[in-house]
Amino acid sequence: MARSDDPNDHKGLIREAYNIEGITLPECRSIFLDWALSLPADRDQTQALTDLHSIYAAQADHPMTQVLTEGLQAAQKPKRRGGWRSRDR
């Protein structure tokens, strides 16, 4: 499958996940992590995630949409010195 030219998904990982039939939530989480780690250093991760989420939010029943929503909620939570908060208090 050809990779996307979408600047928010430069490797096409998320688009590819949406085209895989029967993909599961754990697989989507793994793809999301690969996407997050593959972003260029100069990209704002939260902004890229917001843009990507707005593109795919219409497919609410897809597990990748749930993963993007979880990632966006985590990105918008207050951060502590060590990075993103791993759980609610």
Side-chain angles (χ1 to χ4, degrees):
M1 174 175 285
R3 296 290 188 178
S4 167
D5 290 331
D6 183 345
N8 300 311
D9 185 19
H10 70 283
K11 292 181 98 179
L13 295 167
I14 303 296
R15 176 170 292 204
E16 192 170 307
Y18 274 97
N19 292 328
I20 296 173
E21 198 151 329
I23 192 166
T24 64
L25 195 59
E27 291 170 321
C28 288
R29 286 193 173 115
S30 176
I31 289 168
F32 176 78
L33 182 59
D34 288 345
W35 169 82
L37 293 174
S38 71
L39 279 176
D42 61 338
R43 289 282 292 151
D44 177 17
Q45 192 175 40
T46 303
Q47 185 60 48
L49 180 53
T50 301
D51 296 342
L52 196 60
H53 184 269
S54 66
I55 293 169
Y56 293 107
Q59 297 183 33
D61 60 339
H62 197 283
M64 195 71 222
T65 304
Q66 181 180 346
V67 171
L68 288 173
T69 302
E70 290 170 358
L72 188 57
Q73 290 169 348
Q76 293 172 342
K77 286 184 180 180
K79 297 177 186 174
R80 56 182 185 185
R81 286 193 328 227
W84 287 10
R85 291 177 53 179
S86 59
R87 59 189 166 120
D88 291 333
R89 291 184 183 194

